[in-house]
Amino acid sequence: MSTDYDDAMRHALSLALRGEGRTGSNPIVGAVILDSDGQLIAEGFHAGGDHAEVVAIKSLSKVPAGATIVVTLEPCNHTGKTGPCTEAIINAGISRVVYAVADPNPIAAGGADRLRTAGIEVVGGVLTLASRFFNRAWLSVVEKKRPLFIWKIATTLDGKTAASDGTSKWITSEPSREFVSLLRRNSDAILVGTGTVLADNPSLIPHDDEDRMNPLRVVMGVRDIPADAQVLDDRARLLHVKSHNFDVLIEQLLAQGVKQVFVEAGSELGTAMLEAGLIDELMIFQAPTLLGSGRSFVGDMGISTLDERLDLTILATRQIGSDIFTHMKVGA
């Protein structure tokens, strides 16, 4: 695919990320408008209201002749909470539409064909892989019929999440904990098991000053939650999934419009989800310290030979404070 619009698409992708955690069940999308000379004249992103294309169009008093709109997702072609983006583009007089990912949602698909029928030039497939990665949570819901599950783990160098006496605060550094707060903020829901609630009494609240709704707190397990548990306070909604059945969990999460789940569960629930093929990614914060004994972050998966091992693919790694952060995808 031509690289003529790569820079504009990269900017649109950076805009899309500003909507992370704000779009409910919808995808994150960024858009930029270029004039006939290729100069950026408008931009927009979806943050729960108008779609990115409409935000960009509305920021101009008039779209000049020969303009191109570059958008991270094929413009929608249906009426939902807002009107079709295809009609907004046609009515604005835009000459060319460049997009990264074809919309796989059958309800909203067909935007490219509608635009071509209206005489607009359409170019698809620009920076598709990058755009799919940024929208992987929404795509998981559309394509896999379940949210994206990311398991966060704070561990020692030898893979321990707690000492033999159960103490675990704090294994990792304060900068790592601040980064975890950001990761929570960018997720739709935070998941733990009842065992974690009973042992650690976590709040599952991002520790920042952003004035917007906190992610849904999800507790899975049949045991009752103590009346004084922090997850019962009024800082965020709570969903208690009183089941060990992952199909029930997924059904209830989808009913809440959840696309991305930040899993902060312990070894038992995390390992069970890993064995069930539900963990898509791991984010491991590894402190430069050793315990030798204690609680391991992953339990027995029944693997007895190297041929049965579960391989991971490293997506990113960097130092945060004194810790090493590694982001991995499950599978090759």
PDB file of all heavy atoms in Angstrom, residues 28-54:
ATOM      1  N   ILE A  28     -12.002   2.944  19.421  1.00  0.00           N
ATOM      2  CA  ILE A  28     -11.296   4.224  19.455  1.00  0.00           C
ATOM      3  C   ILE A  28     -10.920   4.562  18.015  1.00  0.00           C
ATOM      4  O   ILE A  28     -10.449   3.706  17.266  1.00  0.00           O
ATOM      5  CB  ILE A  28     -10.052   4.196  20.374  1.00  0.00           C
ATOM      6  CG1 ILE A  28      -9.047   3.119  19.925  1.00  0.00           C
ATOM      7  CG2 ILE A  28     -10.460   3.972  21.822  1.00  0.00           C
ATOM      8  CD1 ILE A  28      -7.708   3.217  20.647  1.00  0.00           C
ATOM      9  N   VAL A  29     -11.146   5.806  17.629  1.00  0.00           N
ATOM     10  CA  VAL A  29     -10.921   6.222  16.239  1.00  0.00           C
ATOM     11  C   VAL A  29     -10.363   7.630  16.225  1.00  0.00           C
ATOM     12  O   VAL A  29     -10.820   8.502  16.982  1.00  0.00           O
ATOM     13  CB  VAL A  29     -12.230   6.172  15.418  1.00  0.00           C
ATOM     14  CG1 VAL A  29     -11.955   6.573  13.964  1.00  0.00           C
ATOM     15  CG2 VAL A  29     -12.869   4.792  15.471  1.00  0.00           C
ATOM     16  N   GLY A  30      -9.383   7.864  15.363  1.00  0.00           N
ATOM     17  CA  GLY A  30      -8.849   9.195  15.131  1.00  0.00           C
ATOM     18  C   GLY A  30      -8.970   9.554  13.668  1.00  0.00           C
ATOM     19  O   GLY A  30      -8.969   8.667  12.800  1.00  0.00           O
ATOM     20  N   ALA A  31      -9.097  10.848  13.389  1.00  0.00           N
ATOM     21  CA  ALA A  31      -9.225  11.303  12.000  1.00  0.00           C
ATOM     22  C   ALA A  31      -8.528  12.642  11.821  1.00  0.00           C
ATOM     23  O   ALA A  31      -8.516  13.470  12.741  1.00  0.00           O
ATOM     24  CB  ALA A  31     -10.697  11.435  11.615  1.00  0.00           C
ATOM     25  N   VAL A  32      -7.940  12.845  10.650  1.00  0.00           N
ATOM     26  CA  VAL A  32      -7.365  14.144  10.291  1.00  0.00           C
ATOM     27  C   VAL A  32      -7.852  14.510   8.890  1.00  0.00           C
ATOM     28  O   VAL A  32      -8.112  13.634   8.058  1.00  0.00           O
ATOM     29  CB  VAL A  32      -5.825  14.149  10.324  1.00  0.00           C
ATOM     30  CG1 VAL A  32      -5.317  13.821  11.728  1.00  0.00           C
ATOM     31  CG2 VAL A  32      -5.240  13.159   9.320  1.00  0.00           C
ATOM     32  N   ILE A  33      -7.983  15.812   8.653  1.00  0.00           N
ATOM     33  CA  ILE A  33      -8.362  16.305   7.328  1.00  0.00           C
ATOM     34  C   ILE A  33      -7.188  17.068   6.749  1.00  0.00           C
ATOM     35  O   ILE A  33      -6.583  17.918   7.422  1.00  0.00           O
ATOM     36  CB  ILE A  33      -9.614  17.210   7.403  1.00  0.00           C
ATOM     37  CG1 ILE A  33     -10.812  16.405   7.922  1.00  0.00           C
ATOM     38  CG2 ILE A  33      -9.937  17.789   6.020  1.00  0.00           C
ATOM     39  CD1 ILE A  33     -12.079  17.224   8.097  1.00  0.00           C
ATOM     40  N   LEU A  34      -6.857  16.757   5.502  1.00  0.00           N
ATOM     41  CA  LEU A  34      -5.776  17.418   4.771  1.00  0.00           C
ATOM     42  C   LEU A  34      -6.369  18.254   3.646  1.00  0.00           C
ATOM     43  O   LEU A  34      -7.351  17.841   3.005  1.00  0.00           O
ATOM     44  CB  LEU A  34      -4.819  16.374   4.174  1.00  0.00           C
ATOM     45  CG  LEU A  34      -4.318  15.263   5.096  1.00  0.00           C
ATOM     46  CD1 LEU A  34      -3.453  14.290   4.298  1.00  0.00           C
ATOM     47  CD2 LEU A  34      -3.541  15.824   6.275  1.00  0.00           C
ATOM     48  N   ASP A  35      -5.771  19.416   3.386  1.00  0.00           N
ATOM     49  CA  ASP A  35      -6.236  20.205   2.249  1.00  0.00           C
ATOM     50  C   ASP A  35      -5.655  19.640   0.958  1.00  0.00           C
ATOM     51  O   ASP A  35      -4.950  18.624   0.966  1.00  0.00           O
ATOM     52  CB  ASP A  35      -5.911  21.689   2.434  1.00  0.00           C
ATOM     53  CG  ASP A  35      -4.417  21.986   2.456  1.00  0.00           C
ATOM     54  OD1 ASP A  35      -3.611  21.130   2.037  1.00  0.00           O
ATOM     55  OD2 ASP A  35      -4.046  23.100   2.899  1.00  0.00           O
ATOM     56  N   SER A  36      -5.928  20.276  -0.151  1.00  0.00           N
ATOM     57  CA  SER A  36      -5.501  19.750  -1.457  1.00  0.00           C
ATOM     58  C   SER A  36      -3.984  19.726  -1.612  1.00  0.00           C
ATOM     59  O   SER A  36      -3.454  19.038  -2.492  1.00  0.00           O
ATOM     60  CB  SER A  36      -6.132  20.579  -2.585  1.00  0.00           C
ATOM     61  OG  SER A  36      -5.772  21.949  -2.460  1.00  0.00           O
ATOM     62  N   ASP A  37      -3.268  20.480  -0.759  1.00  0.00           N
ATOM     63  CA  ASP A  37      -1.803  20.465  -0.775  1.00  0.00           C
ATOM     64  C   ASP A  37      -1.221  19.463   0.215  1.00  0.00           C
ATOM     65  O   ASP A  37      -0.008  19.388   0.395  1.00  0.00           O
ATOM     66  CB  ASP A  37      -1.263  21.864  -0.442  1.00  0.00           C
ATOM     67  CG  ASP A  37      -1.610  22.886  -1.518  1.00  0.00           C
ATOM     68  OD1 ASP A  37      -1.608  22.499  -2.704  1.00  0.00           O
ATOM     69  OD2 ASP A  37      -1.894  24.049  -1.157  1.00  0.00           O
ATOM     70  N   GLY A  38      -2.084  18.712   0.904  1.00  0.00           N
ATOM     71  CA  GLY A  38      -1.615  17.726   1.864  1.00  0.00           C
ATOM     72  C   GLY A  38      -1.320  18.281   3.240  1.00  0.00           C
ATOM     73  O   GLY A  38      -0.733  17.583   4.084  1.00  0.00           O
ATOM     74  N   GLN A  39      -1.723  19.516   3.518  1.00  0.00           N
ATOM     75  CA  GLN A  39      -1.483  20.135   4.824  1.00  0.00           C
ATOM     76  C   GLN A  39      -2.627  19.809   5.787  1.00  0.00           C
ATOM     77  O   GLN A  39      -3.798  19.858   5.408  1.00  0.00           O
ATOM     78  CB  GLN A  39      -1.336  21.651   4.685  1.00  0.00           C
ATOM     79  CG  GLN A  39      -0.174  22.081   3.807  1.00  0.00           C
ATOM     80  CD  GLN A  39       1.161  21.564   4.318  1.00  0.00           C
ATOM     81  OE1 GLN A  39       1.521  21.777   5.477  1.00  0.00           O
ATOM     82  NE2 GLN A  39       1.898  20.886   3.450  1.00  0.00           N
ATOM     83  N   LEU A  40      -2.280  19.499   7.012  1.00  0.00           N
ATOM     84  CA  LEU A  40      -3.292  19.172   8.018  1.00  0.00           C
ATOM     85  C   LEU A  40      -4.074  20.425   8.399  1.00  0.00           C
ATOM     86  O   LEU A  40      -3.484  21.441   8.785  1.00  0.00           O
ATOM     87  CB  LEU A  40      -2.629  18.556   9.253  1.00  0.00           C
ATOM     88  CG  LEU A  40      -3.564  17.942  10.307  1.00  0.00           C
ATOM     89  CD1 LEU A  40      -2.881  16.795  11.010  1.00  0.00           C
ATOM     90  CD2 LEU A  40      -4.007  18.979  11.343  1.00  0.00           C
ATOM     91  N   ILE A  41      -5.394  20.352   8.306  1.00  0.00           N
ATOM     92  CA  ILE A  41      -6.225  21.518   8.623  1.00  0.00           C
ATOM     93  C   ILE A  41      -7.258  21.232   9.712  1.00  0.00           C
ATOM     94  O   ILE A  41      -7.878  22.162  10.239  1.00  0.00           O
ATOM     95  CB  ILE A  41      -6.945  22.053   7.370  1.00  0.00           C
ATOM     96  CG1 ILE A  41      -7.782  20.947   6.709  1.00  0.00           C
ATOM     97  CG2 ILE A  41      -5.952  22.648   6.382  1.00  0.00           C
ATOM     98  CD1 ILE A  41      -8.665  21.448   5.572  1.00  0.00           C
ATOM     99  N   ALA A  42      -7.452  19.964  10.054  1.00  0.00           N
ATOM    100  CA  ALA A  42      -8.424  19.626  11.097  1.00  0.00           C
ATOM    101  C   ALA A  42      -8.138  18.235  11.635  1.00  0.00           C
ATOM    102  O   ALA A  42      -7.513  17.405  10.955  1.00  0.00           O
ATOM    103  CB  ALA A  42      -9.852  19.711  10.562  1.00  0.00           C
ATOM    104  N   GLU A  43      -8.583  17.984  12.852  1.00  0.00           N
ATOM    105  CA  GLU A  43      -8.392  16.671  13.463  1.00  0.00           C
ATOM    106  C   GLU A  43      -9.515  16.406  14.465  1.00  0.00           C
ATOM    107  O   GLU A  43     -10.204  17.321  14.914  1.00  0.00           O
ATOM    108  CB  GLU A  43      -7.037  16.576  14.151  1.00  0.00           C
ATOM    109  CG  GLU A  43      -6.838  17.580  15.261  1.00  0.00           C
ATOM    110  CD  GLU A  43      -5.435  17.541  15.855  1.00  0.00           C
ATOM    111  OE1 GLU A  43      -4.455  17.360  15.093  1.00  0.00           O
ATOM    112  OE2 GLU A  43      -5.328  17.694  17.090  1.00  0.00           O
ATOM    113  N   GLY A  44      -9.671  15.141  14.806  1.00  0.00           N
ATOM    114  CA  GLY A  44     -10.683  14.781  15.788  1.00  0.00           C
ATOM    115  C   GLY A  44     -10.502  13.343  16.248  1.00  0.00           C
ATOM    116  O   GLY A  44      -9.832  12.546  15.585  1.00  0.00           O
ATOM    117  N   PHE A  45     -11.089  13.008  17.394  1.00  0.00           N
ATOM    118  CA  PHE A  45     -11.072  11.627  17.867  1.00  0.00           C
ATOM    119  C   PHE A  45     -12.386  11.347  18.589  1.00  0.00           C
ATOM    120  O   PHE A  45     -13.077  12.260  19.056  1.00  0.00           O
ATOM    121  CB  PHE A  45      -9.874  11.339  18.777  1.00  0.00           C
ATOM    122  CG  PHE A  45      -9.854  12.130  20.066  1.00  0.00           C
ATOM    123  CD1 PHE A  45     -10.378  11.599  21.238  1.00  0.00           C
ATOM    124  CD2 PHE A  45      -9.283  13.399  20.113  1.00  0.00           C
ATOM    125  CE1 PHE A  45     -10.345  12.317  22.428  1.00  0.00           C
ATOM    126  CE2 PHE A  45      -9.246  14.128  21.294  1.00  0.00           C
ATOM    127  CZ  PHE A  45      -9.780  13.579  22.457  1.00  0.00           C
ATOM    128  N   HIS A  46     -12.724  10.080  18.661  1.00  0.00           N
ATOM    129  CA  HIS A  46     -13.965   9.661  19.307  1.00  0.00           C
ATOM    130  C   HIS A  46     -13.735   9.560  20.808  1.00  0.00           C
ATOM    131  O   HIS A  46     -12.827   8.875  21.258  1.00  0.00           O
ATOM    132  CB  HIS A  46     -14.402   8.310  18.739  1.00  0.00           C
ATOM    133  CG  HIS A  46     -15.680   7.793  19.323  1.00  0.00           C
ATOM    134  ND1 HIS A  46     -16.750   8.598  19.607  1.00  0.00           N
ATOM    135  CD2 HIS A  46     -16.055   6.537  19.672  1.00  0.00           C
ATOM    136  CE1 HIS A  46     -17.735   7.868  20.098  1.00  0.00           C
ATOM    137  NE2 HIS A  46     -17.334   6.619  20.157  1.00  0.00           N
ATOM    138  N   ALA A  47     -14.559  10.264  21.572  1.00  0.00           N
ATOM    139  CA  ALA A  47     -14.438  10.234  23.037  1.00  0.00           C
ATOM    140  C   ALA A  47     -15.793   9.988  23.683  1.00  0.00           C
ATOM    141  O   ALA A  47     -16.041  10.427  24.804  1.00  0.00           O
ATOM    142  CB  ALA A  47     -13.836  11.536  23.542  1.00  0.00           C
ATOM    143  N   GLY A  48     -16.660   9.268  22.971  1.00  0.00           N
ATOM    144  CA  GLY A  48     -17.954   8.926  23.527  1.00  0.00           C
ATOM    145  C   GLY A  48     -19.107   9.702  22.933  1.00  0.00           C
ATOM    146  O   GLY A  48     -20.270   9.328  23.121  1.00  0.00           O
ATOM    147  N   GLY A  49     -18.828  10.797  22.202  1.00  0.00           N
ATOM    148  CA  GLY A  49     -19.878  11.591  21.565  1.00  0.00           C
ATOM    149  C   GLY A  49     -19.846  11.394  20.065  1.00  0.00           C
ATOM    150  O   GLY A  49     -19.989  10.276  19.563  1.00  0.00           O
ATOM    151  N   ASP A  50     -19.661  12.505  19.326  1.00  0.00           N
ATOM    152  CA  ASP A  50     -19.540  12.405  17.872  1.00  0.00           C
ATOM    153  C   ASP A  50     -18.353  11.533  17.486  1.00  0.00           C
ATOM    154  O   ASP A  50     -17.332  11.495  18.187  1.00  0.00           O
ATOM    155  CB  ASP A  50     -19.345  13.803  17.266  1.00  0.00           C
ATOM    156  CG  ASP A  50     -20.619  14.626  17.254  1.00  0.00           C
ATOM    157  OD1 ASP A  50     -21.715  14.029  17.258  1.00  0.00           O
ATOM    158  OD2 ASP A  50     -20.516  15.869  17.249  1.00  0.00           O
ATOM    159  N   HIS A  51     -18.496  10.863  16.345  1.00  0.00           N
ATOM    160  CA  HIS A  51     -17.386  10.063  15.837  1.00  0.00           C
ATOM    161  C   HIS A  51     -16.264  10.976  15.352  1.00  0.00           C
ATOM    162  O   HIS A  51     -16.465  12.161  15.092  1.00  0.00           O
ATOM    163  CB  HIS A  51     -17.865   9.149  14.714  1.00  0.00           C
ATOM    164  CG  HIS A  51     -18.755   8.041  15.197  1.00  0.00           C
ATOM    165  ND1 HIS A  51     -19.200   7.032  14.386  1.00  0.00           N
ATOM    166  CD2 HIS A  51     -19.274   7.782  16.425  1.00  0.00           C
ATOM    167  CE1 HIS A  51     -19.958   6.197  15.078  1.00  0.00           C
ATOM    168  NE2 HIS A  51     -20.015   6.635  16.324  1.00  0.00           N
ATOM    169  N   ALA A  52     -15.073  10.394  15.232  1.00  0.00           N
ATOM    170  CA  ALA A  52     -13.872  11.179  14.932  1.00  0.00           C
ATOM    171  C   ALA A  52     -14.017  12.001  13.655  1.00  0.00           C
ATOM    172  O   ALA A  52     -13.615  13.177  13.598  1.00  0.00           O
ATOM    173  CB  ALA A  52     -12.668  10.244  14.824  1.00  0.00           C
ATOM    174  N   GLU A  53     -14.587  11.399  12.605  1.00  0.00           N
ATOM    175  CA  GLU A  53     -14.739  12.113  11.341  1.00  0.00           C
ATOM    176  C   GLU A  53     -15.606  13.356  11.509  1.00  0.00           C
ATOM    177  O   GLU A  53     -15.311  14.420  10.968  1.00  0.00           O
ATOM    178  CB  GLU A  53     -15.380  11.181  10.288  1.00  0.00           C
ATOM    179  CG  GLU A  53     -14.596   9.910  10.021  1.00  0.00           C
ATOM    180  CD  GLU A  53     -15.104   8.732  10.814  1.00  0.00           C
ATOM    181  OE1 GLU A  53     -15.347   8.895  12.038  1.00  0.00           O
ATOM    182  OE2 GLU A  53     -15.246   7.639  10.232  1.00  0.00           O
ATOM    183  N   VAL A  54     -16.695  13.204  12.259  1.00  0.00           N
ATOM    184  CA  VAL A  54     -17.623  14.319  12.461  1.00  0.00           C
ATOM    185  C   VAL A  54     -16.981  15.419  13.296  1.00  0.00           C
ATOM    186  O   VAL A  54     -17.148  16.612  13.020  1.00  0.00           O
ATOM    187  CB  VAL A  54     -18.927  13.812  13.108  1.00  0.00           C
ATOM    188  CG1 VAL A  54     -19.853  14.979  13.441  1.00  0.00           C
ATOM    189  CG2 VAL A  54     -19.626  12.811  12.181  1.00  0.00           C
TER     190      VAL A  54
END
